[in-house]
Amino acid sequence: MSDAQHSDRNYRRGAIMGLTIAEAFILIAFALLLLFAFWQWEVEKQNTPEVVAFKELTYEQRQTVLVSAQDGSIEAFINLKDQGIDFATPASVEKPKDKWRFVDQDEVLRLIDAVQQLPEDMQRDLADMVEAEKAKEMLSEMAILEDLVEAGKSVEELIASSQVSKLIDKSGKSVEELLQTAQIIESLENSGKSIDDIRAASDAIDAVNEAGHDLNEILKTAQILESLAASGKSVEELIATAAALEDLEKAGQTLEGISEKIRDAEAQEAALVGTLRSELGGIVSGMGGYIDDTGAIILPDGVLFQQGSATIRPSLKQFLAQACQPWLSTLQQSGIDISEVKIEGHASSEWRSGSSPRAAYLGNLNLSQLRSQAVLRSCLDYVKDPELLDWSRKHLIAVGYSSVRPVLANGEEDHAASRRVVFSATPNRQSLLEEIGTEAKIARYDRSLFGGWADSDNDCQNTRQELLQELSTGATTLARNNCTVVRGKWYDPYTGKTFTDARQVDVDHLVPLKWAWDRGAHSWTAEKREAFANDKANLMVVDRGVNREKGANGPLNWLPPLAGYQCQYVTRFRRVVSTHGLELLPEETGKLNRLQENVCK
């Protein structure tokens, strides 16, 4: 055997699968490293944050989780969380309304079986409690008691709390109202007030609630008054100041309305003067006369009559023929309420030479009267329109003033200018004054002019309290004074809502007092106004907020939100108006008729 063959055999003896031992070792080492890498990857893949977190639990905690997973507790936990339970906030779990979710179904079935075994009257009481939604209140009370127990309250304290709760229910007051009252009384005690003062304050609070006022607003007002009182003013002075300010405000509104009426009247009269000057200015100036700013036509005596005579000159006849009918027609069609049309005769203080002042006065009186009458008769002769002639006979008069209205120049009588004939018209200012007086009286409306709520039977329950009891569809609760209704059950026809708190409703005057005042009640006696304000046919229990929206409006400006009641509302409104003899404004009758037809289809 050659040396080469011997060497090849030795090589094969020290090889594995054709590899040397060193090469095989390297290959095996690489394979082991690769397997280790795969194992480490698998381990890291299994160690998710959840697995790590689980491993960090104690042995007992891991056992609890495993048992919960097997008995379904974890699945129930997940369902509750999906339903909104925040387990991170224990207080949310303790809410009574959420505890039903933790009740086992078997327990619910057992509870139902137990209820069915109860007497029928007790079952009815439970049903009534549920229908009246008192179950929530009971759960709340149970939650309060549970909190008290957890807080370490004794049985005596719990019983006392229960008794206080009963007293609260009996009083008809809410917890908030009693707390508010307690705060006020505590403040009074701290101020050193006597028990009588405290009782008076309590009664005052009842009165405030009865009237439906916001106690916070009253307290703000009291603070303002306290500040004013600190200025050294007495209560009477403060009240007088407030009343004066209110009167000034009302007076300002009234004066504005009156001023507007006067401006309208002045504008009408100015328009009449303009028309007279346009129609008759040329003719009047041709006679040597003029039309003054009041619309009076003034002609000089010298061109009308001979001295000392009442005989009309031809020039005056010609003037009357041209001017009388246009003058009277312009006055008739002016739109002004004219009380009288005058033809005036005026004279100077002069008379015959040597006459006494008395003789001069009487002589001029007779002459001025004769001249004015002559002009009137002649003027009527030139009026051909029968309607205008009839109007003229009702308004036209002749007046002789003698020398009592002289024309002055520099403080001295102008004898020539004083002798004149004047054609004038007097607007009926009395009707304007009466209208202004009525408007001023209407503007003085005050709720107190209708008196207060009457207590005709002297039982301390006035009309408002009696109506609240009469119209309540459920039992009513009175305050401790047995005069004021605090709870009941009232259906509001304006909205269709039902209320149980007397502070949430108003006793509304269907026909508002201010509305009635503007349509005739301002002229009633105080007794009649009080009877109207307390007429139950005109009173309704309604939503306080809606009543504030209604205000003093009638059907033309406000209708109930509930469309189904609008017809009855308008019909009943008109019945009250008719019963009490209120007068609708001229434009209201037709509008109300159309409104009633529309809502009563």
Side-chain angles (χ1 to χ4, degrees):
M1 177 179 297
S2 65
D3 292 336
Q5 290 175 333
H6 180 76
S7 177
D8 182 66
R9 185 182 300 112
N10 290 338
Y11 169 77
R12 287 194 298 270
R13 284 178 181 173
I16 299 174
M17 299 178 64
L19 299 175
T20 65
I21 292 175
E23 290 172 336
F25 178 79
I26 291 172
L27 182 61
I28 292 170
F30 176 79
L32 289 173
L33 287 173
L34 185 62
L35 288 173
F36 178 79
F38 276 116
W39 174 81
Q40 188 176 21
W41 179 76
E42 284 290 331
V43 169
E44 290 178 353
K45 185 175 69 173
Q46 293 175 4
N47 285 337
T48 62
E50 291 81 4
V51 173
V52 173
F54 181 80
K55 289 180 177 180
E56 291 177 352
L57 295 176
T58 64
Y59 175 78
E60 289 79 12
Q61 289 174 332
R62 288 200 296 270
Q63 291 299 316
T64 300
V65 171
L66 292 173
V67 172
S68 299
Q70 294 172 356
D71 64 11
S73 298
I74 290 181
E75 183 178 356
F77 171 83
I78 294 173
N79 290 334
L80 288 172
K81 190 170 184 181
D82 291 340
Q83 294 175 23
I85 296 297
D86 183 10
F87 288 89
T89 307
S92 66
V93 183
E94 293 300 321
K95 293 180 181 178
K97 67 178 184 179
D98 293 328
K99 290 187 176 180
W100 63 270
R101 303 179 182 180
F102 298 97
V103 180
D104 184 75
Q105 184 175 1
D106 293 336
E107 292 295 326
V108 173
L109 294 175
R110 186 180 63 78
L111 183 61
I112 293 175
D113 291 338
V115 170
Q116 291 176 345
Q117 302 299 321
L118 294 174
E120 291 186 3
D121 57 343
M122 189 174 295
Q123 292 184 32
R124 284 194 298 270
D125 290 340
L126 286 173
D128 292 340
M129 182 185 70
V130 173
E131 290 179 0
E133 299 186 352
K134 291 184 178 179
K136 292 182 179 179
E137 297 178 12
M138 181 173 291
L139 286 174
S140 299
E141 293 175 359
M142 291 174 64
I144 293 172
L145 290 175
E146 184 177 348
D147 292 340
L148 290 172
V149 171
E150 291 179 356
K153 298 291 183 180
S154 66
V155 175
E156 291 77 8
E157 290 173 316
L158 296 179
I159 293 173
S161 299
S162 177
Q163 292 173 343
V164 169
S165 177
K166 290 179 181 178
L167 289 173
I168 291 173
D169 290 338
K170 186 177 180 180
S171 71
K173 304 287 186 183
S174 67
V175 174
E176 291 77 9
E177 291 174 309
L178 292 174
L179 287 174
Q180 194 174 42
T181 303
Q183 291 171 354
I184 294 171
I185 292 176
E186 182 180 359
S187 299
L188 288 170
E189 288 177 337
N190 293 336
S191 67
K193 298 294 183 181
S194 67
I195 188 64
D196 293 333
D197 294 328
I198 295 173
R199 286 172 179 165
S202 179
D203 292 338
I205 293 169
D206 285 340
V208 168
N209 290 332
E210 173 192 351
H213 296 304
D214 186 342
L215 190 56
N216 292 323
E217 293 297 324
I218 297 294
L219 291 174
K220 288 180 183 177
T221 304
Q223 291 171 352
I224 294 172
L225 289 174
E226 183 179 356
S227 300
L228 288 171
S231 66
K233 299 291 186 182
S234 67
V235 175
E236 292 75 10
E237 289 174 315
L238 295 177
I239 293 174
T241 302
L245 290 173
E246 185 178 359
D247 289 342
L248 284 173
E249 183 180 359
K250 292 180 180 178
Q253 297 170 351
T254 303
L255 287 174
E256 178 58 31
I258 292 173
S259 298
E260 186 176 354
K261 287 186 178 296
I262 293 174
R263 288 194 296 268
D264 290 344
E266 290 175 345
Q268 281 187 311
E269 292 176 15
L272 174 59
V273 173
T275 303
L276 289 172
R277 286 174 173 170
S278 175
E279 294 287 332
L280 304 172
I283 304 173
V284 172
S285 62
M287 291 290 291
Y290 64 95
I291 301 175
D292 70 8
D293 292 339
T294 67
I297 301 172
I298 302 171
L299 300 177
D301 174 81
V303 299
L304 306 178
F305 304 96
Q306 293 290 341
Q307 185 176 1
S309 171
T311 302
I312 295 175
R313 287 184 173 184
S315 58
L316 178 55
K317 285 188 177 182
Q318 184 178 0
F319 171 80
L320 296 175
Q322 292 178 308
C324 271
Q325 181 155 316
W327 173 56
L328 293 170
S329 178
T330 300
L331 296 177
Q332 181 195 29
Q333 298 174 16
S334 66
I336 299 173
D337 182 11
I338 294 176
S339 60
E340 61 183 14
V341 180
K342 293 189 292 185
I343 297 178
E344 308 170 9
H346 295 269
S348 69
S349 60
E350 296 179 325
W351 191 243
R352 296 184 180 92
S353 177
S355 300
S356 66
R358 181 176 186 277
Y361 168 76
L362 292 175
N364 282 318
L365 176 61
N366 182 57
L367 181 60
S368 63
Q369 289 178 345
L370 291 174
R371 285 178 172 180
S372 64
Q373 292 173 16
V375 174
L376 185 149
R377 283 192 296 268
S378 181
C379 186
L380 287 178
D381 290 340
Y382 295 113
V383 177
K384 304 303 180 183
D385 183 354
E387 184 179 346
L388 179 60
L389 186 61
D390 182 65
W391 182 87
S392 300
R393 292 194 187 104
K394 294 177 180 178
H395 293 82
L396 189 57
I397 61 173
V399 180
Y401 284 101
S402 185
S403 57
V404 298
R405 296 184 179 181
V407 176
L408 303 178
N410 298 322
E412 299 291 333
E413 180 183 351
D414 184 337
H415 296 290
S418 295
R419 293 188 290 270
R420 66 202 186 276
V421 174
V422 178
F423 300 77
S424 67
T426 304
N428 185 6
R429 296 248 167 76
Q430 184 61 35
S431 64
L432 177 61
L433 290 174
E434 290 175 355
E435 185 178 347
I436 289 173
T438 300
E439 183 171 315
K441 188 174 183 180
I442 290 175
R444 288 198 299 269
Y445 165 78
D446 190 289
R447 172 63 178 84
S448 63
L449 295 171
F450 285 83
W453 292 115
D455 181 14
S456 56
D457 52 7
N458 296 317
D459 64 349
C460 89
Q461 295 178 11
N462 58 31
T463 304
R464 182 183 191 276
Q465 306 307 323
E466 291 175 352
L467 195 76
L468 287 173
Q469 294 180 79
E470 291 173 11
L471 297 185
S472 176
T473 58
T476 56
T477 302
L478 297 176
R480 65 173 179 271
N481 59 11
N482 288 324
C483 300
T484 305
V485 177
V486 294
R487 295 194 181 277
K489 188 175 183 181
W490 300 280
Y491 173 77
D492 169 24
Y494 288 174
T495 62
K497 298 178 182 177
T498 299
F499 298 91
T500 58
D501 188 341
R503 296 172 305 168
Q504 296 176 325
V505 296
D506 271 347
V507 173
D508 173 46
H509 289 92
L510 179 71
V511 177
L513 302 184
K514 174 63 168 64
W515 192 96
W517 175 270
D518 293 344
R519 289 158 182 79
H522 62 271
S523 63
W524 292 352
T525 63
E527 292 75 16
K528 185 173 181 180
R529 283 196 290 266
E530 184 174 354
F532 175 79
N534 287 272
D535 181 7
K536 293 183 179 179
N538 189 38
L539 298 176
M540 307 177 67
V541 178
V542 299
D543 180 351
R544 182 183 180 190
V546 171
N547 188 42
R548 297 296 191 271
E549 293 174 5
K550 175 191 174 188
N553 291 312
L556 294 178
N557 301 105
W558 185 89
L559 286 173
L562 187 62
Y565 186 71
Q566 291 177 354
C567 174
Q568 187 176 346
Y569 169 76
V570 176
T571 303
R572 183 174 171 182
F573 190 100
R574 300 194 72 173
R575 186 183 304 123
V576 173
V577 168
S578 176
T579 299
H580 290 274
L582 294 169
E583 299 177 3
L584 296 174
L585 301 179
E587 68 276 11
E588 288 181 330
T589 302
K591 291 181 179 179
L592 271 176
N593 289 338
R594 290 189 291 274
L595 174 64
Q596 191 168 12
E597 290 175 3
N598 184 47
V599 298
C600 294
K601 289 180 179 178

